[in-house]
Amino acid sequence: MPDILVVDDERTITDLVEVYLQNENFRVFKYYNGKDALECVNTRPLDLAILDIMLPDIDGLTLCRTIRQNHTFPIIMLTARDGELDLINGLTLGADDYITKPFRPLELVARVKTQLRRANSYNTPRTRPDPVITVRGLTLNTASHQCTLNERPLSLTPTEFEILRILCENLGKVVSSEELFFRVWKEKYYENSANTVMVHIRHLRAKMKDSADRPKYIKTVWGVGYKIDE
């Protein structure tokens, strides 16, 4: 039974999300402020967190950044603001998905399931003979979900790891933004989906200390997508 953290100061929303998640046999830990939620994060193993951006004490973005210092479980951000700035901030700080209020509870449940499937897949043995992918000092172990760059560990979220894995498995080939979004998020591609992919690529480059202008690894093919050369 997956353990889900839900944090939102609007009690009606938190209680509603709890009901829908419990109907799917998830165990829910709900809080109405960031302080209590952070205590839960530090004392209990969790499988996923749903964080509201606007909280009365610790805002959701700060809470997300704090969680990412020690944990890699998926994070979904909630916000009443339908602005790109929130999206970029949340994803840059390590969130895996983003949904704007008002939202349909069943849509949120579907996204939770998608993130959990992706995260759980890293604990499932792969059928390929060699689960280790190596590209010029970059090493990904798809069985243990570990990544190193020049023997330096990289702390990647499940979403970031999946993007990097797809690019590495398609060395020398351009992977379109549409294909990346579909394979990683398992959802239909929309116009704003390109921004989601772009922000995760930017975050990956920052962790890899790579340059967008003169990239050693992830190259942008304008109007098409991204690739890593052999």
Side-chain angles (χ1 to χ4, degrees):
M1 181 182 295
D3 291 343
I4 312 295
L5 172 69
V6 180
V7 191
D8 196 317
D9 62 332
E10 296 184 60
R11 292 174 180 259
T12 54
I13 292 179
T14 309
D15 295 346
L16 180 64
V17 170
E18 179 187 33
V19 170
Y20 274 83
L21 290 175
Q22 287 179 339
N23 286 342
E24 298 294 330
N25 295 321
F26 296 137
R27 184 161 42 207
V28 178
F29 300 90
K30 64 177 180 178
Y31 299 94
Y32 308 111
N33 62 75
K35 180 180 178 181
D36 291 341
L38 191 57
E39 182 177 350
C40 176
V41 170
N42 292 331
T43 57
R44 183 181 299 276
L46 296 170
D47 297 288
L48 183 142
I50 301 172
L51 311 178
D52 183 33
I53 286 184
M54 298 299 293
L55 294 173
D57 50 357
I58 306 172
D59 67 85
L61 295 177
T62 300
L63 186 57
C64 176
R65 182 174 60 242
T66 303
I67 290 173
R68 275 290 170 257
Q69 292 175 358
N70 297 300
H71 304 279
T72 59
F73 56 74
I75 296 175
I76 299 176
M77 304 299 297
L78 302 179
T79 180
R81 304 183 220 159
D82 190 14
E84 185 180 3
L85 181 60
D86 277 345
L87 172 63
I88 292 175
N89 284 342
L91 295 180
T92 300
L93 292 172
D96 296 277
D97 203 356
Y98 187 93
I99 190 167
T100 304
K101 300 176 185 177
F103 56 85
R104 291 171 293 180
L106 289 177
E107 179 185 358
L108 178 60
V109 170
R111 296 196 183 196
V112 166
K113 290 181 177 179
T114 296
Q115 292 297 331
L116 287 174
R117 280 196 301 270
R118 185 178 308 132
N120 290 337
S121 69
Y122 298 126
N123 296 322
T124 303
R126 303 284 179 167
T127 57
R128 69 171 62 91
D130 187 0
V132 178
I133 304 172
T134 302
V135 182
R136 292 181 279 109
L138 175 66
T139 301
L140 287 85
N141 189 316
T142 59
S144 63
H145 186 215
Q146 293 178 328
C147 180
T148 61
L149 179 59
N150 297 325
E151 300 183 353
R152 176 176 63 90
L154 294 182
S155 179
L156 304 181
T157 67
T159 300
E160 293 165 353
F161 188 93
E162 185 70 1
I163 290 174
L164 200 55
R165 181 188 67 80
I166 292 171
L167 293 176
C168 286
E169 289 182 344
N170 289 273
L171 283 182
K173 301 178 183 178
V174 180
V175 182
S176 69
S177 298
E178 290 88 343
E179 181 180 354
L180 270 176
F181 188 83
F182 179 77
R183 291 181 61 181
V184 174
W185 281 267
K186 306 294 190 298
E187 296 178 5
K188 184 177 179 180
Y189 184 86
Y190 295 98
E191 182 178 352
N192 289 337
S193 302
N195 291 330
T196 301
V197 175
M198 177 186 66
V199 170
H200 278 87
I201 292 290
R202 182 188 308 165
H203 200 203
L204 268 171
R205 283 173 173 156
K207 289 186 175 182
M208 297 170 68
K209 301 187 184 305
D210 206 5
S211 168
D213 297 326
R214 302 180 63 182
K216 182 178 179 182
Y217 292 99
I218 303 176
K219 296 183 178 180
T220 301
V221 181
W222 295 108
V224 183
Y226 305 91
K227 72 171 182 175
I228 295 180
D229 287 330
E230 297 185 51

